Amino acid sequence: MTATRWRTVSRWVAPLLLGALVLVAWESFVVQRDIKPYLLPSPSAIWDQLVVSRSFVADAMLATGRNVLVGLVVGIVLAVGLALLAARSPFFDGVVSPAAAAAGVMPIVALAPALNTMFGTTSTTPRQIIVAVVVFAPVFVNTLKGLRQVHPVHVDLLRAYAATPWQLARTLTIPGALPYLFTGIRIASSVAVIAAVVAEYFGGLQDGLGSRITSAAANSAYPRAWAFVLGAVVLGLTFYLVTLLLERAVHRGRAAP
């Protein structure tokens, strides 16, 4: 086995082994200490509930995933568009950057009830807006930082060749900002799932992971609640991995002759 292939295998095997060890330790701790399910259910009990409730978990993952996807796309488009404008205009930067900072610290516990009242509890719009707000700040800040990393000499060189502002952005500014953009999206993709699940705690349609976790915990079905938590973890990892694969595809496309 070559060194490169060994590094690739170890990169996947190591976290799987660590996860297996954690599960074994968790199961042993719960069984030997006789921990009650309402404090900490065992992995085997959670797995049993996951098998029994797999269709409910899958439906809840789809409902939450749709809200995350819509909010993620809207938040990224807004953040990239406003970052492009802020990079070109110091005045616009002074207006938008404080707003982005405020959006990053906006509490979901206050935002969710207000949006539910505004759009109605039968609408998914409040949850999608919350995800977009949470996504906006990390993508905006990272993209703006990337847009400002362009070396002035390169800008002057392209301007000497009479490049238009669009040509300058297409060939120099935007490609240079792509690593920063994907860093922001990777951060936002995981946070977006957390935001969607938390937003579902505060009323609205009872079809997502957050509302299912609340309902199961209220009925003392703690292993089932943890099964929905496991669904949220899988959903977050899925969005993160898709973002990672998209980033690698873009890098390979740029590296190709």
Side-chain angles (χ1 to χ4, degrees):
M1 182 179 292
T2 63
T4 303
R5 181 169 295 181
W6 170 251
R7 282 197 297 269
T8 303
V9 172
S10 62
R11 188 175 179 182
W12 288 98
V13 171
L16 290 176
L17 283 176
L18 178 62
L21 288 174
V22 169
L23 289 176
V24 170
W26 181 354
E27 181 79 21
S28 301
F29 175 76
V30 171
V31 172
Q32 292 179 4
R33 298 281 182 171
D34 193 22
I35 304 296
K36 301 301 179 187
Y38 62 87
L39 293 176
L40 182 65
S42 65
S44 58
I46 296 172
W47 177 256
D48 290 342
Q49 282 298 319
L50 184 63
V51 172
V52 172
S53 308
R54 57 186 180 278
S55 61
F56 297 106
V57 176
D59 290 343
M61 288 175 67
L62 284 176
T64 302
R66 280 194 295 269
N67 293 331
V68 173
L69 183 60
V70 173
L72 196 60
V73 172
V74 172
I76 290 172
V77 171
L78 280 177
V80 172
L82 293 177
L84 287 170
L85 292 175
R88 290 183 57 82
S89 168
F91 172 77
F92 196 81
D93 180 24
V95 173
V96 177
S97 291
V105 297
M106 191 173 293
I108 298 175
V109 64
L111 191 60
L115 290 175
N116 282 334
T117 304
M118 191 180 301
F119 291 95
T121 56
T122 58
S123 172
T124 57
T125 303
R127 298 168 183 180
Q128 294 165 356
I129 292 176
I130 289 171
V131 173
V133 169
V134 171
V135 164
F136 177 79
V139 177
F140 175 82
V141 170
N142 281 280
T143 305
L144 184 58
K145 183 179 178 182
L147 293 171
R148 288 173 173 166
Q149 299 301 311
V150 180
H151 202 288
V153 174
H154 296 161
V155 177
D156 293 339
L157 179 62
L158 284 177
R159 284 177 176 167
Y161 282 101
T164 63
W166 166 241
Q167 289 173 325
L168 192 67
R170 184 173 58 84
T171 60
L172 181 64
T173 310
I174 294 177
L178 282 178
Y180 295 89
L181 168 62
F182 277 106
T183 298
I185 295 176
R186 269 191 279 124
I187 297 170
S189 61
S190 300
V191 177
V193 175
I194 298 172
V197 172
V198 173
E200 290 167 357
Y201 275 104
F202 300 97
L205 295 173
Q206 300 296 305
D207 59 348
L209 289 167
S211 55
R212 296 293 186 186
I213 293 170
T214 306
S215 176
N219 290 298
S220 302
Y222 299 104
R224 190 164 75 238
W226 277 81
F228 286 110
V229 171
L230 183 60
V233 172
V234 171
L235 188 63
L237 288 175
T238 302
F239 273 97
Y240 182 83
L241 289 176
V242 169
T243 304
L244 201 60
L245 292 175
L246 183 62
E247 181 180 7
R248 290 186 177 181
V250 171
H251 284 325
R252 286 175 184 168
R254 291 180 60 199

